[in-house]
Amino acid sequence: MRTPRMPRLAVRRTALHGCCRAGFVLWAGGATALHAQEVYTQSDFGGVGLLQTPTARMAREGEFSFVLSRTTPYTNYNVSMQPLPWLEASFRYTNVSNRLYGPRSLSGSQTYKDKSIDAKVRIWEESRWLPAVAVGARDIGGTGLFSSEYVVTSKRAGPFDFSLGLAWGYMGARGDIANPLNFISDRFETRPTSSTGTGNFSTNKFFRGRPGFFGGIEYRSPWQWLLLKAELDGNDYKHQPQKNNQPQRWPVNLGAVFRLNRNVDLTLGYERGEVATAAINLHSNLATHIDPPKTYDPKPEAVAFESTPVDTPPAGPASASPAPVDAAAANPATRAAPEQVDWPEVATALRDNAGINVSSIGRRGSELVIHGQQDRFFYSAEGVGRATRIIDNRVDRSIDWLTVASERNGLKTVETSVHRPRFLELLDHRIDLPTFRRSVEQDPVTARDEEVLYRAPLKRFTGGFSLGYQQNLGGPDAFVLYQVYGAASGTFNFTRHLWLDGVVSLNLFNNYDKFKYDAPSNLPRVRTNLRQYLTSSDLTLPNFQLTGTHRLGEDLYGMAYAGMLESMYGGAGGEVLYRPFGERWAVGADVNWVKQRGFDQDFSFRRYHVVTGQATGYLDTGFHNVTLAVSVGRYLAGDWGTTIDVSREFANGARMGAYATVTNKSGSAGYGEGSFDKGIYVSIPFDMLLPHSSRSRATLLWQPLIRDGGARLNKRYTLYTLTNDLDSDLFDKNLGKISE
């Protein structure tokens, strides 16, 4: 489907302890068990469907699937996501086993690889009398060799699910009828046969040419582990891409899906009356995924319960007045007045058990305030609950409110206050969670009089070692180019607002000896020198920078940085962000002067330099937790343009998204492959996958091409992520973890 250019998956560096164990847990278990009738299976091409064709059905919201299917001569590697109830998106590599990628001098005997992006939208759901209806398109962002558009309906009758659709392009190549859209324009009579160009949207083909009918039946057997499929294929395989026509004895395909467990499906089929087929589907639901037991976490401290009234809601911490010491405390020997508590021991317990790296502890009347950074628990409510237990076991009843003032790299973000007696009633099951919610407050950080009880010494140095893995997929040199490396990281803190950190990487083994191809580009080579950066040295310094943060005012944050900012660029820059407390929007901007680093990734530089930066607006739309980020500015190649990023975050913090970048060089001869930059991604908290708590994330990005146009600086820190504790929705939706 493509000439031998530069199809690549973006380089990702991921620690093996997260990547491998995370992947195993995600696929091996953890999803909520469902009744078979609530689950729809994937097609050979990815996305919910029969075998070769889609249906109007949608997977459950949050579903994430990887499908490997083989139908000679095609092998499909599909990733499908269901970010919204009515929207399905897929990314696919297709291996054509009887065609070479390109000239043998470039690719040797490597077979042809094609990549595609698909989308399906449900128009309306099935009702008692009307079927579900969906429209969709395959291969909408690529060379368009397998491009197809369709309208499909589905209707259930008992254990049978019937589908019928009309497809244009690849899926409807049989051309059963004249195009019903001909009455709009004569342009719809004929479908262009030329390629749309690598990385372009094939809009010039949409719904053009003679369409073909497709459809079929899915039967859900009495056994939940077995589904049977039969479909009418709309393709006659006489007009295959690359003149790769295939025999078809009859247009009916048959298959059976064996549900090996709730996360693994095996499909066996017989298609075209000619070939046996097989597919394996690994799937999980990110929205309903159940975290594995945290067997490596310390157990929360036990507390002693006592009788307290529940009928009067407590006053807030700001208006709280000192309460008398409770002489009936269950453990009076272990509780002391705040002035007599061993606060260094408390700070150690807060770090080890509640994950809070304490900077100071203070008192405001009957309110105790813990200032610090949460370093362990992804859900801040869990750390707050553990901290409340720790304080309850050590401080007398003169304190009835506990406040955790969250910090992140020196930036104060939000104060979370818990009414201590009500928390004990929640633990003792005397009140439910909705009732307890009225005893929890989140407030902006404001300057208030506070008696300092303890100020923690600054820990100057932290560091560690890890193994990592990075890869490039789909290139002409080899389908998978990979590297395993060891990394040492360290941070030296001058103050809580100023630190120096860096990473040293050592190559352990790779197959980069095959990496010989450079992509074509007439822009400054700001990203397409990737090969040289990956192959020039075994010992590299991907990052080494000085960073400072400061809270510039109420809801206004600032950051400055200088050094080796990423593997390809060094320089200096700054960022500001205005993120009002309690609002669903934020605005920010960054400006950077950067110079291209030497290929060895040491302290040397090349001649190219540029001023780059973007102004960005963020909006939580309130619609299915969809966040929209729009950036406008200058990119690394000196081009000006806009990046639009749309993502859906689920209640547990998992996120699915897509982005697109268009610049003033898009579509021009100098831009390189494709008319604009684009990609889809999924970001999964390690906390969902590992047997211990973690604040880290695994991010998988599918970027069809590495190009120079629309390239952004890969900064190590951004203010929007540093202020994520301001996300009150994530706190509220996971408030139940406060008692865990």
Side-chain angles (χ1 to χ4, degrees):
M1 175 178 167
R2 136 179 342 110
T3 55
R5 298 187 182 177
M6 191 179 183
R8 299 216 183 274
L9 190 70
V11 175
R12 309 303 298 170
R13 289 177 176 261
T14 305
L16 282 182
H17 72 272
C19 181
C20 296
R21 283 196 286 173
F24 175 79
V25 176
L26 180 64
W27 302 126
T32 303
L34 295 172
H35 190 275
Q37 290 190 350
E38 298 174 346
V39 178
Y40 297 103
T41 57
Q42 302 275 307
S43 70
D44 296 345
F45 278 76
V48 174
L50 295 169
L51 296 165
Q52 289 285 306
T53 64
T55 67
R57 303 301 182 189
M58 294 284 177
R60 292 177 299 126
E61 192 175 15
E63 195 78 4
F64 181 80
S65 298
F66 172 76
V67 180
L68 171 63
S69 68
R70 173 66 177 173
T71 305
T72 304
Y74 305 115
T75 301
N76 292 318
Y77 307 86
N78 314 292
V79 173
S80 295
M81 300 186 294
Q82 191 76 39
L84 296 169
W86 46 267
L87 175 64
E88 173 188 275
S90 301
F91 179 85
R92 176 175 56 260
Y93 276 102
T94 298
N95 175 49
V96 186
S97 59
N98 61 352
R99 294 290 187 271
L100 292 178
Y101 196 105
R104 286 188 179 273
S105 59
L106 174 67
S107 304
S109 60
Q110 183 186 180
T111 55
Y112 193 83
K113 306 297 188 300
D114 173 64
K115 61 170 60 71
S116 307
I117 294 177
D118 306 348
K120 182 172 70 175
V121 176
R122 185 175 60 204
I123 303 302
W124 65 72
E125 295 189 68
E126 178 181 5
S127 64
R128 181 175 181 181
W129 302 110
L130 296 177
V133 178
V135 297
R138 284 182 179 171
D139 203 356
I140 57 178
T143 56
L145 294 186
F146 297 90
S147 65
S148 191
E149 307 80 51
Y150 58 88
V151 179
V152 62
T153 64
S154 295
K155 191 75 177 74
R156 178 169 297 283
F160 296 95
D161 195 20
F162 298 90
S163 295
L164 178 64
L166 190 65
W168 290 257
Y170 183 83
M171 283 198 306
R174 190 171 55 246
D176 297 314
I177 60 173
N179 195 335
L181 301 178
N182 287 345
F183 76 93
I184 298 176
S185 171
D186 293 341
R187 294 181 304 169
F188 288 99
E189 290 185 11
T190 305
R191 190 177 184 89
T193 57
S194 61
S195 171
T196 60
T198 303
N200 296 335
F201 273 130
S202 51
T203 54
N204 66 325
K205 297 183 178 182
F206 280 5
F207 298 100
R208 297 191 182 184
R210 292 177 62 90
F213 289 106
F214 68 90
I217 304 172
E218 180 179 274
Y219 170 68
R220 297 184 180 272
S221 74
W223 305 281
Q224 291 191 9
W225 52 267
L226 177 64
L227 292 83
L228 302 177
K229 297 181 177 183
E231 74 175 354
L232 172 67
D233 199 338
N235 190 355
D236 59 7
Y237 298 89
K238 296 179 181 178
H239 309 282
Q240 291 293 96
Q242 302 172 312
K243 298 181 180 180
N244 199 5
N245 296 341
Q246 300 297 314
Q248 183 189 58
R249 294 175 56 190
W250 57 324
V252 175
N253 303 324
L254 304 173
V257 180
F258 302 91
R259 312 218 65 193
L260 304 184
N261 60 44
R262 60 190 179 187
N263 296 104
V264 182
D265 298 342
L266 174 65
T267 301
L268 300 177
Y270 188 64
E271 300 183 14
R272 306 198 301 263
E274 287 282 338
V275 296
T277 67
I280 185 83
N281 174 18
L282 309 177
H283 57 95
S284 183
N285 192 283
L286 302 185
T288 61
H289 183 84
I290 298 176
D291 299 352
K294 300 297 189 254
T295 54
Y296 291 95
D297 281 355
K299 294 185 180 299
E301 290 192 3
V303 297
F305 301 114
E306 55 191 276
S307 178
T308 54
V310 299
D311 54 344
T312 304
S319 61
S321 57
V325 176
D326 186 355
N331 251 338
T334 62
R335 296 189 177 108
E339 295 77 11
Q340 300 171 342
V341 171
D342 183 356
W343 290 114
E345 185 276 332
V346 173
T348 300
L350 288 169
R351 181 196 64 204
D352 295 342
N353 194 275
I356 300 175
N357 185 3
V358 175
S359 59
S360 67
I361 300 175
R363 179 178 183 176
R364 304 169 186 163
S366 64
E367 177 188 6
L368 187 75
V369 186
I370 300 170
H371 300 268
Q373 176 169 300
Q374 176 55 254
D375 288 333
R376 172 179 291 171
F377 295 105
F378 180 80
Y379 307 105
S380 60
E382 187 168 359
V384 171
R386 285 172 173 255
T388 307
R389 291 169 180 256
I390 291 170
I391 296 303
D392 183 72
N393 285 334
R394 291 161 176 81
V395 182
D396 65 18
R397 292 297 185 236
S398 64
I399 297 297
D400 59 5
W401 279 92
L402 174 71
T403 295
V404 175
S406 297
E407 302 173 354
R408 180 63 49 188
N409 293 94
L411 295 175
K412 298 180 183 296
T413 54
V414 63
E415 294 187 352
T416 304
S417 302
V418 175
H419 188 245
R420 178 179 175 182
R422 286 300 176 95
F423 177 73
L424 298 178
E425 291 166 3
L426 176 70
L427 295 184
D428 201 25
H429 307 291
R430 283 179 276 157
I431 59 174
D432 57 16
L433 191 64
T435 301
F436 171 72
R437 180 65 184 90
R438 298 196 294 271
S439 304
V440 179
E441 293 186 6
Q442 285 198 301
D443 299 294
V445 176
T446 56
R448 292 189 238 173
D449 291 335
E450 183 175 307
E451 176 191 356
V452 177
L453 300 173
Y454 172 74
R455 196 175 301 278
L458 177 65
K459 187 175 183 179
R460 292 292 182 181
F461 180 78
T462 59
F465 298 90
S466 65
L467 289 176
Y469 172 81
Q470 63 179 355
Q471 67 180 19
N472 283 36
L473 294 181
D477 304 296
F479 181 60
V480 180
L481 294 167
Y482 66 88
Q483 179 193 45
V484 176
Y485 61 89
S489 61
T491 300
F492 182 84
N493 297 293
F494 297 98
T495 70
R496 298 191 188 278
H497 300 271
L498 181 67
W499 68 94
L500 178 70
D501 59 0
V503 178
V504 176
S505 176
L506 176 64
N507 169 60
L508 299 180
F509 55 90
N510 63 63
N511 67 342
Y512 286 161
D513 57 305
K514 301 179 181 179
F515 199 172
K516 301 176 180 179
Y517 177 73
D518 293 327
S521 178
N522 293 322
L523 292 176
R525 285 190 173 271
V526 296
R527 287 300 182 202
T528 52
N529 280 330
L530 175 67
R531 177 182 65 84
Q532 291 91 327
Y533 281 100
L534 292 177
T535 60
S536 294
S537 177
D538 285 336
L539 183 65
T540 62
L541 186 69
N543 177 260
F544 185 76
Q545 71 180 66
L546 179 69
T547 308
T549 60
H550 190 67
R551 194 164 180 257
L552 303 175
E554 186 175 351
D555 302 322
L556 184 63
Y557 305 89
M559 178 170 62
Y561 40 86
M564 306 301 161
L565 304 180
E566 53 144 291
S567 59
M568 296 187 186
Y569 290 91
E575 181 184 359
V576 293
L577 176 72
Y578 180 64
R579 189 169 185 175
F581 179 84
E583 299 291 343
R584 294 183 175 272
W585 59 273
V587 292
D590 69 299
V591 178
N592 313 276
W593 181 90
V594 295
K595 193 170 185 178
Q596 201 167 56
R597 297 180 61 184
F599 294 146
D600 288 337
Q601 297 181 52
D602 50 19
F603 289 99
S604 64
F605 287 92
R606 308 184 76 228
R607 296 182 61 183
Y608 181 78
H609 60 86
V610 67
V611 175
T612 180
Q614 289 83 34
T616 304
Y618 306 89
L619 176 64
D620 180 348
T621 64
F623 174 76
H624 287 281
N625 297 305
V626 171
T627 297
L628 174 67
V630 179
S631 300
V632 179
R634 194 182 196 209
Y635 296 84
L636 286 172
D639 46 338
W640 294 81
T642 300
T643 298
I644 299 176
D645 186 299
V646 182
S647 61
R648 162 74 190 278
E649 184 176 73
F650 299 100
N652 54 19
R655 183 179 292 272
M656 296 177 178
Y659 77 91
T661 298
V662 178
T663 77
N664 60 335
K665 299 296 183 180
S666 297
S668 68
Y671 188 72
E673 299 178 58
S675 59
F676 61 96
D677 192 24
K678 53 190 171 292
I680 61 177
Y681 60 89
V682 59
S683 180
I684 305 170
F686 278 162
D687 198 82
M688 295 172 54
L689 312 170
L690 302 178
H692 62 81
S693 296
S694 171
R695 289 185 63 89
S696 300
R697 284 179 171 270
T699 299
L700 306 175
L701 168 67
W702 290 272
Q703 187 179 17
L705 298 170
I706 297 295
R707 55 170 64 78
D708 295 315
R712 305 178 71 171
L713 184 67
N714 294 328
K715 298 193 302 178
R716 181 164 188 174
Y717 304 102
T718 67
L719 286 175
Y720 193 76
T721 55
L722 289 182
T723 57
N724 273 346
D725 285 341
L726 289 168
D727 184 358
S728 59
D729 286 345
L730 185 63
F731 178 85
D732 287 339
K733 291 173 182 175
N734 296 280
L735 181 61
K737 292 186 175 293
I738 202 168
S739 60
E740 293 183 2

